[in-house]
C-alpha cells in the first residue's frame, strides 16, 4: 500500500513537470513556425493577437488577464505590437478613462496567416493520439483547470 502511495505522489509531482515541458515545447514549436513565416513575434505576442482576433476589442487589463500577464509586461507587449502596426489603442465608448485595444487591418491580415501556424503546431502535438484520445485529453485538462480555479 505504501509503495502505491509513493508511486502516486511521484506521478503527481511529475504531472506538473510534464505539463510545463509540454507548454515549453508548444511555445518552441510555435515560435519556430512564426520565424519560418517571417513574423517577428514572440509567443506572448501571438497570444495577444489571437485573443483580440477571437474575442474582439478589449481593455488592456482584460487582455492581460486573458493571457496571464501583469500590467507592466502587457504595456511593453502592446507598445511593441502597436509599433509594428498590428494593433491600436482607441478610446473606450463607455469609459472615457479607458482604452480599447483592437487589431488593425495589418493585425487582422497577420492573424489570418498565423491561424494555420497555430493549427499545425497543435495538430503535430497531438499526432500520436486518436480522435477519442484527443477528446479525452481535452476533457481531462479542462477538468483539472476547472478544479484549480474553483473556489472552495
Amino acid at each position: 500500500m505504501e509503495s502505491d502511495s509513493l508511486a502516486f505522489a511521484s506521478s503527481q509531482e511529475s504531472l506538473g513537470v510534464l505539463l510545463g515541458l509540454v507548454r515549453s515545447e508548444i511555445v518552441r514549436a510555435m515560435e519556430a513556425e512564426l520565424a519560418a513565416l517571417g513574423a517577428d513575434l514572440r509567443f506572448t505576442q501571438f497570444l495577444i493577437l489571437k485573443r483580440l482576433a477571437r474575442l474582439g476589442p478589449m481593455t488592456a487589463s482584460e487582455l492581460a488577464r486573458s493571457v496571464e500577464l501583469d500590467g507592466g509586461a502587457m504595456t511593453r507587449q502592446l507598445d511593441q505590437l502597436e509599433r509594428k502596426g498590428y494593433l491600436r489603442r482607441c478610446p473606450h465608448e463607455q469609459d472615457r478613462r479607458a482604452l480599447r485595444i483592437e487589431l488593425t487591418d495589418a493585425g487582422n491580415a497577420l492573424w489570418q496567416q498565423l491561424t494555420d501556424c497555430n493549427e499545425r503546431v497543435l495538430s503535430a502535438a497531438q499526432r500520436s493520439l486518436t480522435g477519442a484520445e484527443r477528446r479525452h485529453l481535452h476533457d481531462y485538462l479542462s477538468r483539472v483547470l476547472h478544479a484549480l480555479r474553483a473556489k472552495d
Side-chain angles (χ1 to χ4, degrees):
M1 255 326 184
E2 187 176 331
S3 65
D4 287 344
S5 297
L6 291 174
F8 181 75
S10 174
S11 70
Q12 291 302 303
E13 291 170 0
S14 67
L15 176 64
V17 171
L18 184 58
L19 289 172
L21 290 171
V22 168
R23 184 189 189 284
S24 293
E25 287 302 313
I26 288 173
V27 168
R28 184 200 55 73
M30 192 63 216
E31 287 185 344
E33 284 280 334
L34 293 169
L37 185 65
D40 181 24
L41 294 175
R42 302 291 298 167
F43 183 74
T44 301
Q45 293 171 333
F46 161 79
L47 286 180
I48 291 168
L49 294 176
K50 181 178 178 177
R51 290 295 189 272
L52 290 170
R54 292 199 170 161
L55 302 175
M58 62 184 78
T59 66
S61 59
E62 291 167 335
L63 190 54
R65 275 191 304 277
S66 78
V67 296
E68 298 181 359
L69 284 180
D70 64 58
M74 177 55 70
T75 298
R76 287 188 296 279
Q77 297 298 324
L78 293 178
D79 288 345
Q80 290 175 17
L81 289 168
E82 190 172 37
R83 275 194 299 276
K84 292 175 185 182
Y86 298 136
L87 59 80
R88 65 178 152 254
R89 294 169 168 110
C90 301
H92 196 287
E93 294 89 20
Q94 286 84 31
D95 182 354
R96 62 187 179 103
R97 298 167 297 164
L99 295 173
R100 274 181 343 132
I101 312 301
E102 62 183 37
L103 291 178
T104 61
D105 289 342
N108 277 310
L110 177 62
W111 174 248
Q112 295 307 312
Q113 296 174 345
L114 298 182
T115 301
D116 289 342
C117 292
N118 189 43
E119 293 305 317
R120 274 193 302 276
V121 167
L122 295 178
S123 290
Q126 301 175 78
R127 72 175 158 249
S128 67
L129 303 177
T130 67
E133 289 170 330
R134 288 177 186 207
R135 287 187 297 279
H136 287 297
L137 177 62
H138 189 273
D139 177 57
Y140 297 149
L141 292 174
S142 295
R143 289 166 40 196
V144 167
L145 180 61
H146 179 73
L148 291 169
R149 288 181 172 170
K151 305 286 188 251
D152 288 331

